[in-house]
Amino acid sequence: MLQSTVEPSCITFNASVSACEKCGEWEKALVFCTVMARRGLKLDTITCNAAISACEKGGEWEKALQLLIVMSQSRVELDTISFGAATSACEKAAEWEKALQLLWLMAQSERD
């Protein structure tokens, strides 16, 4: 039997969070993000976007918005995908006011 000594890295965690997102496992995606941070690995835009998308698919719009806040506080770049997935999560939950606020924030961030 083959044994692997692959060390967890941002790449392996990104792949794990992305797999969770594709399977609709938003809770597991958030666990991977927590474990990643505890191991001293920096969350990046790719990781956070996959986690936001997982929350969006799971109907967890509040968790998606919390991730945007974490990204901002951690100085992780918010991009169109970040805002788009969070806006979609709000839209699916009929939180249209939150969705409009996100669109306004996105427009403001593009000006800065």
Side-chain angles (χ1 to χ4, degrees), residues 61-112:
W61 66 274
E62 291 170 309
K63 299 281 187 198
L65 295 183
Q66 288 172 357
L67 282 165
L68 282 182
I69 292 167
V70 168
M71 289 176 77
S72 180
Q73 291 173 343
S74 302
R75 301 192 194 283
V76 175
E77 180 183 354
L78 290 100
D79 62 10
T80 304
I81 295 169
S82 312
F83 283 108
T87 301
S88 179
C90 292
E91 177 264 327
K92 288 180 179 178
E95 292 290 335
W96 62 271
E97 291 170 328
K98 297 286 186 196
L100 286 176
Q101 289 174 353
L102 286 173
L103 291 173
W104 184 82
L105 284 172
M106 184 172 69
Q108 293 300 314
S109 71
E110 288 177 355
R111 290 183 191 161
D112 294 339

Side-chain angles (χ1 to χ4, degrees), residues 24-68:
E25 296 286 344
W26 67 270
E27 291 168 310
K28 289 179 183 172
L30 296 180
V31 168
F32 276 116
C33 290
T34 300
V35 171
M36 187 176 176
R38 284 187 183 153
R39 287 182 170 254
L41 297 170
K42 188 174 181 334
L43 293 171
D44 62 14
T45 304
I46 295 168
T47 309
C48 293
N49 285 351
I52 291 169
S53 292
C55 292
E56 178 251 333
K57 288 181 180 175
E60 295 293 323
W61 66 274
E62 291 170 309
K63 299 281 187 198
L65 295 183
Q66 288 172 357
L67 282 165
L68 282 182

